[in-house]
DNA sequence: CGTCGACTTGACTCGGCTCAATGCGAGTGG
DNA sequence: CCACTCGCATTGAGCCGAGTCAAGTCGACG
């Protein structure tokens, strides 16, 4: 089966159309540590991740980093701006050897013109992204650090967790620092909170992987209204 | 001239097309205090504000409110989800008597089908919204309260300020509470900071209106890297 | 074996939140 | 016209969550 069939953006296209769409793309491989595009660079293409893992980060004028999101296989990245003739708002760092398909601007125009469902799907995808960003905004504005970390972890579990009995395993490298940059806090605070959770048996950290033993307890922390 | 000509979403359409587009809409009026749609309600239409002012707010499970944005004349609202078959993520409160045009789902489909530039424009609009949300996220995550308030005010000045000599006047009602809800802080902290600015002559508050006397000094506070 | 990156832990500090008291102008009704 | 209320704003006192900084551990890797 056509690998593109699993991509939201191309839902509603038939097998033959999918093949045509793929023929408009080219394959790009980047090893761990590589970069697909940099912040501020002219957005001339968008990508679909086939395998590997990517971290989208933004750097502030003062050199602080913020993790915007993780990109998992089948996700789009670099799409927001590539459709809109702009500059990339962040940098895409490869954290696990990655293979991606890439459509340049010309291809984008052709896609939009020749395959009407694509525009609609893109809008749906964007809408989802906006809703998610608004949620994160609200969380940053109203919740305590512990809750935000719980949410971040829960979200990662949902998007990329592998179930193992009642445990959920995340087996790609997330550092304390990364969690801090996702939740707007510091490495130290994350470390303290994770230690606490480890004592309470909610959570276990191993090399380059994380196991959540009590996902529901984590979700409870995320939702708890304790944060007057 | 056709009033829709000023709307980003309809850029690239000719006079005749604009008239057709408008014929697909209906006009909705709401007085101050009214509501166009509520959070969680099924998103069955999107709007363009012709006149008046609207505040988009989100309420959390615990009853805390967050101001997502202000909607000014010529802005779209309710569009993100209406294009994507979803529920409204927030409530739209009228803060100055408003007149808006409204397209329901059927009209949206027709728009997308019969007027190709609209889909592209919509994507550009969404892209801008996403970039802005990411910026606000970054600010919430990395900046101090004073900076965030300065940014919020600066942004409002740019979007809706009326120049009066070197002053910028914002003449619709924004309460301390609103600023707090936009920046993720409390009414008290906003009040203290605004008092300080008032002493320093940066800013002046009157009934239902705000005057920024030194916009550049405000912008400087917003950008200052003092916030380690 | 030494270095280096990631993580932990403690001590200290402080920005900003909480709560309470008070001020103040605009409506509203007797 | 005055008294009362109501929404909004101000200000002070106290406290605490989380940031900062320093010191040290642990494991991986050359």
């Amino acid at each position: 089966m056509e690998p593109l069939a699993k991509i939201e953006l191309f839902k509603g296209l038939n097998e033959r159309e999918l093949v045509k769409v793929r023929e408009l793309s080219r394959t790009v491989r980047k090893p761990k540590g590589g970069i697909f595009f940099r912040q501020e660079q002219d957005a001339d293409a968008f990508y679909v991740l086939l395998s590997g893992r990517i971290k989208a980060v933004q750097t502030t004028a003062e050199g602080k980093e913020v993790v915007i999101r993780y990109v998992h296989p089948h996700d789009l990245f670099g799409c927001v701006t590539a459709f809109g003739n702009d500059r990339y708002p962040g940098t895409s760092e490869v954290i696990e050897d990655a293979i991606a398909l890439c459509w340049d601007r010309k291809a984008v125009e052709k896609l939009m013109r020749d395959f009407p469902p694509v525009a609609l799907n893109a809008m749906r995808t964007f809408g989802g992204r906006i809703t998610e960003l608004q949620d994160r905004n609200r969380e940053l504005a109203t919740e305590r650090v512990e809750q935000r970390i719980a949410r971040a972890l829960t979200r990662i579990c949902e998007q990329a967790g592998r179930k193992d009995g009642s445990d959920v395993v995340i087996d790609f490298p997330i550092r304390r620092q990364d969690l801090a940059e996702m939740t707007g806090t510091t490495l130290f605070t994350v470390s303290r909170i994770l230690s606490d959770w480890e004592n309470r048996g909610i959570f276990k950290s191993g090399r380059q992987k994380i196991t959540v033993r009590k996902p529901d307890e984590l979700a409870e922390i995320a939702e708890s209204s304790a944060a007057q």
Side-chain angles (χ1 to χ4, degrees), chain A:
Chain A
M1 198 177 84
E2 180 54 42
L4 291 186
K6 283 183 191 150
I7 313 293
E8 274 286 317
L9 183 63
F10 302 124
K11 215 161 84 174
L13 300 187
N14 63 38
E15 202 75 358
R16 278 191 51 227
E17 290 171 317
L18 288 174
V19 172
K20 276 191 180 168
V21 166
R22 187 159 47 80
E23 282 167 1
L24 286 171
S25 75
R26 69 195 159 82
T27 305
V28 185
R29 283 156 213 274
K30 298 268 178 191
K32 182 173 172 168
I35 281 174
F36 275 88
F37 50 79
R38 287 179 192 282
Q39 194 167 336
E40 299 302 326
Q41 188 179 311
D42 206 40
D44 52 359
F46 84 95
Y47 299 81
V48 163
L49 186 62
L50 294 182
S51 72
R53 202 85 54 176
I54 287 172
K55 190 170 73 167
V57 301
Q58 222 180 45
T59 311
T60 70
E62 291 92 47
K64 287 204 179 186
E65 297 213 327
V66 180
V67 174
I68 302 174
R69 63 185 191 117
Y70 281 91
V71 182
H72 310 286
H74 307 307
D75 282 353
L76 268 62
F77 63 107
C79 56
V80 170
T81 40
F83 283 87
N85 233 348
D86 218 334
R87 290 159 184 282
Y88 291 116
T91 300
S92 55
E93 268 181 58
V94 178
I95 57 172
E96 274 184 338
D97 297 357
I99 304 176
L101 293 179
C102 165
W103 287 261
D104 62 22
R105 187 162 293 160
K106 255 209 184 106
V108 170
E109 277 162 29
K110 205 167 156 53
L111 275 182
M112 302 285 289
R113 190 160 15 93
D114 299 354
F115 306 94
V118 172
L120 259 160
N121 290 336
M123 252 180 271
R124 226 182 303 277
T125 305
F126 285 17
R129 198 76 60 84
I130 289 178
T131 309
E132 198 189 310
L133 279 168
Q134 282 177 351
D135 288 346
R136 282 180 60 174
N137 251 297
R138 199 196 51 227
E139 291 160 18
L140 276 169
T142 63
E143 296 177 353
R144 299 267 146 114
V145 168
E146 189 179 19
Q147 277 183 82
R148 302 205 304 263
I149 299 175
R151 274 195 203 279
L153 260 186
T154 305
R155 210 167 269 151
I156 293 173
C157 282
E158 280 163 9
Q159 288 176 356
R162 188 168 46 73
K163 280 234 170 97
D164 177 11
S166 69
D167 296 0
V168 180
V169 180
I170 298 163
D171 49 9
F172 61 94
I174 301 186
R175 294 164 308 154
R176 306 291 186 261
Q177 180 70 37
D178 293 323
L179 278 171
E181 285 167 6
M182 295 175 71
T183 53
T185 178
T186 61
L187 149 66
F188 308 101
T189 303
V190 172
S191 177
R192 272 180 248 273
I193 287 172
L194 293 192
S195 294
D196 179 41
W197 288 350
E198 198 142 7
N199 288 335
R200 288 160 61 188
I202 296 178
F203 161 96
K204 178 129 181 34
S205 70
R207 68 190 120 198
Q208 305 255 315
K209 89 172 199 187
I210 281 174
T211 311
V212 177
R213 320 211 76 127
K214 301 178 181 170
D216 23 320
E217 207 158 320
L218 198 62
E220 210 170 288
I221 293 172
E223 297 302 337
S224 74
S225 60
Q228 256 314 345

